[in-house]
Amino acid sequence: MTRFLGPLLACLALWIALPLQAHAELDVVRLKAAIASSFETDYPKLDALYKDIHAHPEIAFQEEKTAAKLAAEMRTIGFEVTEHVGKTGLVAIYRNGDGPTIMVRTELDALPMEEKTGLPYASRDKTVWEGKETFVAHSCGHDIHMASWVGAAKTLVALKDRWKGTLMFIAQPAEEIGAGALAMIYNGLFTRFPKPDFAFGLHDGPFPHGYVNYRVGIGSSSSDGLAIKFKGRGGHGASPQYTADPIMMAARFIVDVQSVISREKDPTEFGVISIGAIHAGTAPNIIPDDALMLGTIRTFKPEVRAKMLAGIERTARAVAAMADAPAPEIMITEGAKPVINDPAVVATAEKVLKVAFGDKFRLAPPVTASEDFSEYGVPSMFFNIGVYDMERFIAAQNKGGPPLPANHSPEFAPVPKPTIETGVTAMTLAVLSAFDQRAPGQ
Ligand SMILES: [Zn+2]
Ligand SMILES: [Zn+2]
């Protein structure tokens, strides 16, 4: 702590000495320099934390050790920590006078897959997932988010003379299965703890480090699960005239349902349906009784979602009717809603982050993936930070260049220091901007 606070306080002394009416741009520039200086001093500890978490990942709702490591870090900084909120989640509170409550969220979970980065701190850990042994890897970069979250907490506490209010840092389990945010909410996140005025979250992605992408309004897709069971009449593969073939129905559905996307939905609106699993049959010459298909439906807007769900159901029923088979069983499971970036929260953060990052703070289109950050229902901003060296990014853009591994690739390998520095800096400044708009006497 002392090592961390020294240079920061030295820089802050200079910054705080500025007259209150000093130009905002100058404040942000100096503040960013102060954050950079403290980050440089403190980075070895954050690096060790990051590499430890990276080497020992845990999947959804198994994040006991990961959560314990974060709880210890936050207690050292001075937060009041409550563990096991939503199974493995934790809530860390830091009160600093009257003012708004601002929530900062990280995820805790990794993925059930093998890491193939070849990094010295690569994970070789395994666990049991749905009854089977599997490797575990932080291939979505949630370990970067955790290190940035701890770094931002340290920085904000060191800067506590500059804001009034309450920091509510939460570490959420099970983002990858879209269940952790709701688990925390159902376990009293907003009743046992303050309901935040604003919230911030970040995610890393395959673009150059030092860059911050953001959006106003819709930031990610809604996610609905689809399960359809086509019910046929089994029999011999050589005598299909005595059967109703559910595999034929499934095949026809997969092709025909894409006309819902291309012919029914407005082509300028986003909507996707993908079938990821088909389970049917046992042998080449037996037509089975039924076929089960599992898929995912993604949209940005409720009206597009409603149109797609209606079209999907109609197509499934029509396919069964064509085969003179019973009506299929159709189950649609509502998942995450789109993340909406609140225009007022973004506008306030934008002023600060534009000064701090210049051209590297960029408006970007929404991502078609989904995020359960949307479940919190707090005016918020969710932004993305890049993870790769610029040279590697440019090489990948060239025709035939080496591809850039994205999130969920076994080769996804962020460059830790500059990526975490961007996360810490952007998150600290975003939170400070939100305190500034509400804190009394600021
Ligand atoms: Zn992911
Ligand atoms: Zn993720």
Side-chain angles (χ1 to χ4, degrees):
M1 274 303 282
T2 319
R3 224 155 45 90
F4 168 69
L5 286 175
L8 178 61
L9 292 177
C11 293
L12 284 179
L14 180 64
W15 182 69
I16 289 164
L18 289 169
L20 277 179
Q21 68 273 27
H23 194 270
E25 190 167 319
L26 192 63
D27 288 358
V28 175
V29 169
R30 291 197 178 191
L31 183 52
K32 192 188 176 199
I35 295 169
S37 167
S38 71
F39 180 83
E40 197 58 38
T41 309
D42 198 50
Y43 185 68
K45 279 185 281 179
L46 281 180
D47 187 72
L49 175 70
Y50 167 72
K51 287 175 181 165
D52 179 30
I53 291 174
H54 185 93
H56 302 295
E58 295 171 300
I59 57 170
F61 289 129
Q62 295 185 11
E63 313 96 329
E64 297 281 352
K65 290 183 188 140
T66 309
K69 286 170 195 167
L70 295 192
E73 292 284 339
M74 297 303 270
R75 286 193 177 109
T76 305
I77 301 167
F79 280 71
E80 189 183 302
V81 178
T82 307
E83 293 176 76
H84 301 292
V85 181
K87 294 192 181 168
T88 43
L90 64 89
V91 178
I93 302 280
Y94 188 94
R95 290 176 216 278
N96 186 32
D98 291 337
T101 296
I102 299 187
M103 186 171 98
V104 178
R105 177 268 219 165
T106 183
E107 317 90 316
L108 289 163
D109 58 330
L111 289 159
M113 61 187 287
E114 185 175 2
E115 177 169 353
K116 295 179 182 167
T117 59
L119 290 166
Y121 50 91
S123 164
R124 298 308 298 160
D125 285 7
K126 288 182 175 177
T127 191
V128 175
W129 171 246
E130 295 185 337
K132 286 188 205 144
E133 191 181 60
T134 172
F135 282 103
V136 192
H138 264 301
S139 307
C140 202
H142 295 179
D143 45 358
I144 290 283
H145 309 169
M146 287 184 252
S148 302
W149 183 85
V150 169
K154 282 183 177 178
T155 312
L156 284 161
V157 169
L159 290 168
K160 66 181 179 186
D161 292 346
R162 295 301 307 160
W163 56 271
K164 290 255 180 298
T166 300
L167 292 175
M168 181 174 174
F169 271 57
I170 68 161
Q172 178 208 302
E175 187 280 329
E176 293 291 356
I177 61 168
L182 285 177
M184 292 190 82
I185 293 165
Y186 291 150
N187 200 206
L189 179 63
F190 297 141
T191 52
R192 293 159 60 196
F193 307 96
K195 171 95 181 180
D197 297 283
F198 309 110
F200 292 93
L202 62 79
H203 207 296
D204 52 15
F207 54 98
H209 50 67
Y211 282 74
V212 179
N213 287 353
Y214 74 108
R215 289 166 286 280
V216 185
I218 295 164
S220 67
S221 70
S222 65
S223 165
D224 292 292
L226 175 68
I228 301 179
K229 188 193 255 188
F230 283 109
K231 296 191 269 189
R233 199 166 54 253
H236 202 296
S239 312
Q241 71 273 27
Y242 302 123
T243 72
D245 185 349
I247 292 182
M248 185 81 180
M249 291 181 233
R252 178 168 280 150
F253 172 81
I254 291 167
V255 175
D256 283 356
V257 80
Q258 295 305 329
S259 68
V260 175
I261 307 299
S262 64
R263 304 287 88 181
E264 292 188 34
K265 177 184 67 58
D266 180 342
T268 63
E269 299 287 0
F270 167 71
V272 157
I273 170 167
S274 295
I275 302 299
I278 305 179
H279 302 288
T282 54
N285 60 351
I286 305 170
I287 291 171
D289 272 340
D290 47 48
L292 176 67
M293 293 188 329
L294 304 173
T296 188
I297 305 158
R298 307 295 175 111
T299 57
F300 289 148
K301 295 184 180 169
E303 60 273 24
V304 178
R305 175 176 177 269
K307 188 155 211 164
M308 281 181 52
L309 297 190
I312 288 163
E313 286 204 38
R314 187 163 20 79
T315 305
R317 290 184 200 290
V319 160
M322 279 171 73
D324 199 19
E329 286 173 23
I330 304 167
M331 193 163 80
I332 290 167
T333 318
E334 191 175 347
K337 298 185 275 291
V339 169
I340 307 290
N341 287 305
D342 183 85
V345 176
V346 175
T348 309
E350 209 172 29
K351 284 184 209 138
V352 172
L353 293 172
K354 267 204 175 126
V355 176
F357 289 93
D359 291 348
K360 294 179 176 176
F361 180 65
R362 306 174 301 182
L363 264 177
V367 294
T368 59
S370 305
E371 238 306 332
D372 68 359
F373 186 72
S374 56
E375 301 292 346
Y376 294 111
V378 174
S380 60
M381 178 178 179
F382 193 84
F383 55 89
N384 292 78
I385 58 172
V387 303
Y388 285 123
D389 289 333
M390 182 59 94
E391 300 71 40
R392 192 172 176 193
F393 180 78
I394 291 170
Q397 310 304 309
N398 295 332
K399 197 163 181 248
L404 210 55
N407 307 68
H408 291 215
S409 158
E411 291 168 17
F412 184 67
V415 182
K417 189 177 176 186
T419 303
I420 296 167
E421 179 167 13
T422 304
V424 169
T425 308
M427 188 56 83
T428 302
L429 292 173
V431 170
L432 286 173
S433 77
F435 275 128
D436 269 344
Q437 65 175 312
R438 288 282 301 272
Q442 293 280 306

